[in-house]
Amino acid sequence: MKKATLLFTILTLLFSLCITAQNNVKVTIVDRPDKNIQNNNYITNKAPLQPLSFIKLPVGDVKPEGWTLKLLELQKDGLNGHLGEISAWLDKENNAWLGTGTDYGWEEVPYWLKGYGNMAYILNDKDMIAETKTWLEAVFSSQREDGYFGPYIEKNGKPDLWGNMIMTWCLQSYYEFSGDERVIDLLTNYFKWQLNLPEDMFLKDYWENSRGGDNLLSIYWLYNITGDDFLIELAEKTHKNTANWRQRSTLPNWHNVNIAQSFREPASYYMLSADSADLISTYNVHHLIRNTFGQVPGGMFGADENARMGYIDPRQGTETCGFVEQMASDEILLRLTGDPFWAEHCENVAFNSYPASMMPDLKSLRYITSPNHTISDSRNHHPGIDNRGPFLAMNPFSSRCCQHNHGQGWPYYIEHLVLASPDNGIAIAMYGPCTANVTVADGREVKIVEETNYPFEESVKFTIQTNGKVTFPLYLRIPTWTENPSISVNGVKLQILMENGKYARIEKEWQNGDEVVFDFPMKLSQSVWQVNQDSRSINYGPLTFSLKIKENYEKVSSIETAIGDSKWQKDADQEKWPSYEIYPGSDWNYALEIDESLPLEKNFKVVKTTWPADNYPFTTESAPIQIIAKGKRVKGWEIDQYGLTAELPIKEEIKFEKESEAITLIPMGAARLRISAFPVYLKNVE
């Protein structure tokens, strides 16, 4: 009997590795793509750098559709697209970045341009591209004979290079879009200036020292184009002078954006060092911060300025900057490592945390957003929040960082929806409606069309458009949360044994109109946050759900509720750009009632509603999936002395109202007021 079972298993595995030749399809399950093959169609890592697992397509080659297009259109019509009308840092009068004066701000201009420019290229918007070029032309004109460019900012007698680090990313995107060789000349001369800068003057300020990994990635980018040996020397110098993010049980600092942005530096350096300890260090930092401060839903961690011991409850939040920098880190690490973990984590933040940081029209944002967040006002909530000021109001005039930096989130996400693989194929690791032009095989261009309402539905359809037959592999990430996924090619279901958390590699001779349908059924699951009173979060596929709270919006003065270091143009119209406080119009202090003797499907009912006509699923009214549950109100769980959602009640002391009530849960990203980590009332437990 055992021999028969073993034989059956072996035959099943062998069958799963390769589909019968009659379908002309070969499908395998792989951990990562084979990096020993060199992609011939795109710029990728040159030796001595380790090969990339995936290669980003030039900006503009991936075009959003459906809800991803709607978000980018809202961003264009919203704060990021019109920040030039509001922000004092983008005022063209007396602006040092434009060479018209001395006001330079610091990081604001390049932060804004990083998202605005990429959005312009993706949408191919002529007016936005012209506005982007206005700033970049000034950058080209600003380069000094010694190679430095932009406003010269000095702190403690040393040049502060942080703003320039961001601007180099803007220049890279512009080169991808335009092929303008002036970018290569400028960066070559600038990096020679960096190499000649004495080490005691290089990356010594707090911010640039924490974020030196951004400089490192730009050096790699240029090296892969020019092959100049001095860039490898500069890469070593950059790593040596960057904060040490390789420590096992502590961090150089605990600032939320620094962590979300800088933890990738060791893995970035691994591409040069080839020392696995560097790669492991990035994973370690990711888990270190979450083991203590990230026992919460939504993929982030409680560090509402800085992570602090004693402040680990899900009512602690993260800056909007932190969300977009974490997404960028996940996307970069996906390319470096090929690990599906980073794709799934990026989706977690993008679907569940980031959307709720902004008003539905994307015309204002709040500095801090938390998993448990039931009031969004302009009060000072210190020390409940580790900063003093009106950090919870939805305000378009503040703050200096998030106001300008938030715009990178959706453009960068869209750029990573379709990637090139080392073996001259196509890789889909994160899902969303889009189209992409990709060069495959021996230089043939194909178009892939991805149709889906994912993450709000369980199926994705890909259509290949090509002028002739062409053979290449297509990689599809198999989510960890799915059960019994299936793939069909031209209506024929592939008989393949799937493995969650890996890739299905489908290779065939593709013809125009070929269709691939990937079905990944979603199921209910729960996360238990043991260090936070055994609170629980309810998930359906990649979505985490929050209590549906009636959101009452109160319009307030944008100027009066702006954070203290904000600045705006003298003629900025606060009537056109209002701020809002959000207050709960319904009870929020509910515990989930769960009968653990029953499966989750008996405790919670998933209800799918009509897809919104405007393609925007991230509001309380438009969310196309709801979960019907039972809850009990928790006595004494209220707004605390700091004006924040009180910490979760101690589980041994919690007191419930007698009556159970029907409650509705909606996707976390659609809930700007929310309870996402719930106390629990266990039914039928003595």
Side-chain angles (χ1 to χ4, degrees), residues 56-62 117-118 121-122 173-174 176-177 415:
K56 190 181 81 67
L57 307 182
V59 60
D61 284 5
V62 183
N118 283 41
Y121 309 140
I122 291 169
S173 291
Y174 174 63
E176 288 180 14
F177 179 75
E415 288 180 59

Side-chain angles (χ1 to χ4, degrees), residues 290-304:
R290 283 164 179 80
N291 287 343
T292 303
F293 300 101
Q295 292 294 297
V296 296
M300 294 302 294
F301 47 90
D304 31 44

Side-chain angles (χ1 to χ4, degrees), residues 365-428:
L365 56 79
R366 58 188 169 201
Y367 189 70
I368 298 293
T369 301
S370 309
N372 283 2
H373 196 145
T374 61
I375 191 166
S376 190
D377 61 10
S378 53
R379 281 185 54 189
N380 174 15
H381 295 278
H382 183 80
I385 289 176
D386 185 34
N387 208 329
R388 290 175 172 84
F391 291 109
L392 300 187
M394 293 282 192
N395 188 308
F397 285 21
S398 62
S399 67
R400 290 176 62 174
C401 54
C402 301
Q403 179 193 32
H404 296 83
N405 190 27
H406 76 276
Q408 67 166 295
W410 291 122
Y412 274 36
Y413 184 82
I414 289 164
E415 288 180 59
H416 287 81
L417 289 175
V418 179
L419 301 167
S421 63
D423 49 0
N424 298 298
I426 298 175
I428 313 289

Side-chain angles (χ1 to χ4, degrees), residues 135-338:
W135 296 88
L136 293 178
E137 288 296 336
V139 170
F140 290 127
S141 299
S142 72
Q143 188 156 46
R144 307 184 320 193
E145 288 188 7
D146 63 3
Y148 187 87
F149 72 87
Y152 188 79
I153 305 171
E154 200 171 82
K155 292 183 180 178
N156 301 315
K158 300 176 177 63
D160 179 2
L161 306 183
W162 166 232
N164 283 30
M165 283 191 212
I166 311 169
M167 189 58 83
T168 61
W169 286 43
C170 302
L171 290 163
Q172 291 165 44
S173 291
Y174 174 63
Y175 179 81
E176 288 180 14
F177 179 75
S178 69
D180 192 331
E181 289 295 327
R182 291 180 298 167
V183 172
I184 306 305
D185 295 337
L186 181 144
L187 291 181
T188 297
N189 291 327
Y190 174 61
F191 285 138
K192 286 180 179 178
W193 176 86
Q194 282 194 3
L195 186 63
N196 291 326
L197 192 66
E199 291 207 10
D200 62 357
M201 298 183 70
F202 184 54
L203 303 181
K204 297 307 176 188
D205 185 64
Y206 171 76
W207 299 104
E208 62 177 2
N209 181 255
S210 294
R211 302 169 181 179
D214 280 26
N215 201 60
L216 184 63
L217 290 171
S218 293
I219 293 166
Y220 290 170
W221 181 89
L222 184 61
Y223 174 76
N224 288 329
I225 294 172
T226 68
D228 289 339
D229 290 339
F230 84 89
L231 291 166
I232 297 301
E233 184 181 352
L234 180 59
E236 295 283 9
K237 178 181 177 180
T238 297
H239 172 70
K240 178 182 176 182
N241 288 279
T242 296
N244 182 8
W245 294 95
R246 302 180 308 285
Q247 301 171 73
R248 185 176 179 85
S249 56
T250 189
L251 301 180
N253 60 75
W254 297 88
H255 183 263
N256 74 97
V257 183
N258 282 347
I259 297 168
Q261 183 170 2
S262 304
F263 85 100
R264 66 182 182 237
E265 193 277 342
S268 301
Y269 181 61
Y270 162 76
M271 304 307 285
L272 178 57
S273 72
D275 185 346
S276 61
D278 292 319
L279 180 60
I280 291 168
S281 292
T282 283
Y283 283 85
N284 176 64
V285 174
H286 177 88
H287 294 300
L288 174 66
I289 188 70
R290 283 164 179 80
N291 287 343
T292 303
F293 300 101
Q295 292 294 297
V296 296
M300 294 302 294
F301 47 90
D304 31 44
E305 199 67 30
N306 299 287
R308 300 170 290 162
M309 291 306 299
Y311 293 84
I312 63 172
D313 189 84
R315 68 92 169 268
Q316 311 302 142
T318 312
E319 291 180 43
T320 302
C321 279
F323 295 148
V324 297
E325 293 294 355
Q326 179 66 54
M327 289 166 60
S329 290
D330 291 337
E331 291 152 3
I332 290 165
L333 290 168
L334 171 64
R335 300 197 325 254
L336 299 185
T337 69

